[in-house]
Amino acid sequence: QVQLVESGGGSVQAGGSLRLSCAATDSHYCMAWFRQAPGKEREGVVAFYPGGSGRAYYADSVKGRFTISRDNAKNTNYLQMNSLKPEDTAMYYCAAGVGACYTLAATNYRYWGQGTQVTVSS
């Protein structure tokens, strides 16, 4: 199994930026970032395969503002979040799975990190 550790969350004003990190003990998994705000369902943010060509699938709500990158030598991926909005406020989770890649269905991912909080104020 793989272990995932997120970091980089914090508080920022609207329009600001944050970079989240997810360190994995193994990168040979389909991976994704999800987020969950209080009282809301978990929402997929981006799905990708670390060993792939750089292809990633973004949720419409973050397309053009969020970018995934990875350092395969460190088994770490980074979620760069720009032009943040108050509605981006949520707990952000890194996830890994062995099923289909490039999907934002949470049921596809078996392994989850503990999450990192992102708070965007207006």
Side-chain angles (χ1 to χ4, degrees), residues 2-122:
V2 60
Q3 295 182 338
L4 306 168
V5 179
E6 304 98 332
S7 61
S11 297
V12 65
Q13 289 191 327
S17 298
L18 282 173
R19 189 178 79 157
L20 306 183
S21 300
C22 173
T25 54
D26 188 337
S27 63
H28 296 93
Y29 288 80
C30 300
M31 299 194 73
W33 282 91
F34 287 80
R35 64 187 182 185
Q36 188 166 21
K40 295 188 176 181
E41 292 186 357
R42 189 164 295 190
E43 174 191 19
V45 174
V46 60
F48 61 100
Y49 180 64
S53 60
R55 174 187 170 194
Y57 180 74
Y58 294 91
D60 288 343
S61 58
V62 306
K63 202 173 293 183
R65 300 188 298 122
F66 291 11
T67 304
I68 193 72
S69 62
R70 50 272 181 99
D71 184 339
N72 288 339
K74 297 181 179 179
N75 282 352
T76 300
N77 67 79
Y78 305 97
L79 182 64
Q80 179 67 43
M81 307 186 297
N82 298 330
S83 301
L84 283 162
K85 305 175 182 180
E87 52 263 43
D88 294 318
T89 295
M91 185 72 79
Y92 283 71
Y93 298 91
C94 182
V98 296
C101 288
Y102 310 110
T103 175
L104 295 180
T107 53
N108 189 68
Y109 299 90
R110 179 181 300 181
Y111 306 105
W112 295 80
Q114 82 288 349
T116 186
Q117 178 68 39
V118 171
T119 302
V120 184
S121 58
S122 57

